[in-house]
Amino acid sequence: MKDIQYLVRSLGIGATYRGYRYLIVAVSLCLEDEDYLLGISKLLYPKIAEICHTSAGSVERDLRTVITVCWERGNKNLLQAISPCPLFSKPTTGEFVDILTGHLR
């Protein structure tokens, strides 16, 4: 869990964002079971919502927010470095979680 938190903070995403917690949970779930990456909307968002006592829509919105923060104001160089392929535009939530999960594996 500390590795996930360190990586997320290194990307410029602070704990002041609700999406920070959701991203930590998302990556830890995907590290346990890669099938979550195959169903971001149908599997991952509802599971995070259940764990964090919120709605799947809120999870989706807040994850998009922290990805935007990372892309626009965060450590984009680190994100590019850990990504297996070049990023020319802001990654989707699935791509972002996959990049972090793959890096931590």
Side-chain angles (χ1 to χ4, degrees), residues 18 22 45 54-66:
R18 274 185 295 209
Y22 302 157
Y45 293 159
T54 189
S55 69
S58 177
V59 169
E60 180 181 8
R61 180 191 63 237
D62 293 336
L63 284 174
R64 278 197 320 262
T65 298
V66 294

Side-chain angles (χ1 to χ4, degrees), residues 5 22-23 28-29 33 60 68 72 80-81 91 100-101:
Q5 291 173 340
Y22 302 157
L23 185 58
S28 63
L29 286 170
D33 185 0
E60 180 181 8
T68 301
E72 293 177 358
Q80 294 278 6
L100 270 56
T101 302

Side-chain angles (χ1 to χ4, degrees), residues 9-91:
R9 284 181 180 271
S10 296
L11 288 168
I13 302 168
T16 56
Y17 295 96
R18 274 185 295 209
Y20 170 86
R21 180 170 178 226
Y22 302 157
L23 185 58
I24 302 292
V25 173
V27 173
S28 63
L29 286 170
C30 291
L31 283 170
E32 290 173 20
D33 185 0
E34 277 191 0
D35 286 344
Y36 282 112
L37 289 170
L38 300 173
I40 298 290
S41 296
K42 299 277 187 218
L43 299 173
L44 187 61
Y45 293 159
K47 185 64 175 177
I48 296 168
E50 177 187 324
I51 291 169
C52 297
H53 307 292
T54 189
S55 69
S58 177
V59 169
E60 180 181 8
R61 180 191 63 237
D62 293 336
L63 284 174
R64 278 197 320 262
T65 298
V66 294
I67 292 167
T68 301
V69 165
C70 175
W71 187 253
E72 293 177 358
R73 298 188 304 257
N75 191 346
K76 199 171 174 180
N77 292 332
L78 175 60
L79 182 61
Q80 294 278 6
I82 65 173
S83 177
C85 58
L87 296 171
F88 300 109
S89 61
K90 181 177 75 170

